[in-house]
Amino acid sequence: MMTANEIDAIKNILASPKKIIIIPHRNPDGDAMGSTLGLYHFLLKQKHQVTVISPNEFPNFLAWLPASEKVLIFEKEEHKCEDILDKSDFIFTLDFNALHRTGDIMKASLEKLDKTFMMIDHHELPDNYAKYTFSDTTYGSTCEMVYDFIDQLSEKNLIDKTIATCLYTGIVTDSGSFRFPKTTGKTHRIVADLIDKGVENNKVHNQLFDTSSYNRLLILGKALQNMKLLPEFKTTYITLSQAELDSFNYQKGDTEGIVNYGLSIAGIDFTAIFIENTAEGIIKISFRSEGDFDVNQFSRNYFGGGGHKNAAGGKSDKTLQETVLYFESILKEIKK
Ligand code: 5GP
Ligand code: MN
């Protein structure tokens, strides 16, 4: 929770109409888009001028979110976005806690700005670029934090069906449909309230999970065929090469959630997915664990990434094959 002083300061800032920017992390997921758009609709209702700027394109399975069509994409309209950033009064950054998570180019733009930032985020080890920080790793999603943020501003009555739908979306996606460990009674109480505010929960689930393409399932099939089992390390991993993705006409978002299959085998408590991205010249990696193994630390130590204890991301500049060999060598090292 924020301190009473911080809440008063934010209330003061928001007391008169402001030009506000809201930024999710690069490659935004359901929680990043749900929290930014939820906050967007809330601030609009308070008569602010609000713009959501996503560092890059968001996946198609989130394109039904209310006002997603108004989101500016920094990497597509750099000058326009920089101009709006320049003229802004206040910047929210949501669902990340280090500016490099917006990508190198946007990071450089943000670092040049002399603006007041507020961070709302649930990842480990926040950087200190923000004057106001609502950072708490006990939350399962940034959307729950935005709900509590609105509550702390004593404006819960402003949460309508639109805001609730955005926030519900991020809670569902970041909690793996209410099954990950940070899902609490409070999560369910917030969700209950959001449904009471009008969220058509069944419809949201359909839009998130039942709008897959045939090719997306073929990519999943390929991923599962590629899965390696390393029982001596209680580990599995999946690879997807660019050529494999291309052969199924890969679309952004198609690999979302595939990593979790690696944990669904009995006796496995650590898994990774390595996805080749030739355009960016990197292997994008996701790590997941069950129980005590800290993948946030693992990714920080070996793959320049981070995240949470049981879910983290990272990247590698090596080839796909080299990356996998490196990964296996680390496992052997750690076991020793
Ligand atoms: P995913 O594997 O779904 O991309 O990410 C898992 C979690 O780790 C998400 O909460 C995501 O925001 C975070 N994450 C992903 N990549 C990175 C990264 O490079 N650095 C940090 N600090 N967090 C990351
Ligand atoms: Mn999140």
Side-chain angles (χ1 to χ4, degrees), residues 25 95 100-101 123 284-288 300 304-308 311-314:
H25 55 78
D95 201 36
H100 69 82
R101 296 275 286 122
H123 294 87
K284 173 77 186 91
I285 315 170
S286 292
F287 300 105
R288 298 291 185 271
R300 271 173 206 278
H308 315 275

Side-chain angles (χ1 to χ4, degrees), residues 92-96 118-122 134 142 145-146 149:
F92 284 94
T93 67
L94 264 53
D95 201 36
F96 67 95
M118 171 156 192
M119 173 204 301
I120 304 180
D121 179 66
H122 65 136
F134 180 21
T142 300
M145 301 182 76
V146 169
F149 176 68

Side-chain angles (χ1 to χ4, degrees), residues 45-198:
K45 272 189 141 174
Q46 296 193 313
K47 309 287 177 235
H48 299 290
Q49 197 180 314
V50 198
T51 311
V52 174
I53 303 181
S54 175
N56 65 348
E57 203 67 71
F58 53 87
N60 242 334
F61 74 91
L62 297 171
W64 57 273
L65 279 169
S68 65
E69 73 283 356
K70 299 227 163 70
V71 173
L72 297 184
I73 308 296
F74 185 88
E75 291 178 11
K76 269 169 57 182
E77 296 187 285
E78 210 176 305
H79 290 297
K80 181 175 176 185
C81 291
E82 283 191 328
D83 196 46
I84 297 173
L85 281 163
D86 266 335
K87 291 177 177 143
S88 68
D89 303 311
F90 196 77
I91 301 175
F92 284 94
T93 67
L94 264 53
D95 201 36
F96 67 95
N97 63 16
L99 291 182
H100 69 82
R101 296 275 286 122
T102 61
D104 292 341
I105 309 166
M106 188 163 178
K107 174 187 178 223
S109 286
L110 294 176
E111 280 176 340
K112 275 191 306 215
L113 289 175
D114 183 21
K115 302 285 179 188
T116 309
F117 284 77
M118 171 156 192
M119 173 204 301
I120 304 180
D121 179 66
H122 65 136
H123 294 87
E124 309 268 349
L125 302 173
D127 276 359
N128 61 4
Y129 60 86
K131 176 162 183 196
Y132 302 103
T133 300
F134 180 21
S135 165
D136 187 338
T137 61
T138 63
Y139 281 87
S141 65
T142 300
C143 280
E144 286 166 77
M145 301 182 76
V146 169
Y147 179 94
D148 272 357
F149 176 68
I150 293 172
D151 190 16
Q152 287 179 87
L153 297 176
S154 316
E155 301 285 7
K156 235 167 72 174
N157 56 310
L158 286 185
I159 298 181
D160 55 14
K161 179 181 175 181
T162 302
I163 297 169
T165 299
C166 295
L167 299 182
Y168 181 84
T169 295
I171 298 174
V172 169
T173 54
D174 256 27
S175 69
S177 302
F178 314 113
R179 73 187 194 276
F180 294 152
K182 285 179 186 171
T183 309
T184 60
K186 186 178 164 197
T187 308
H188 283 282
R189 278 188 288 277
I190 291 175
V191 161
D193 188 35
L194 297 177
I195 291 173
D196 287 345
K197 304 257 190 204

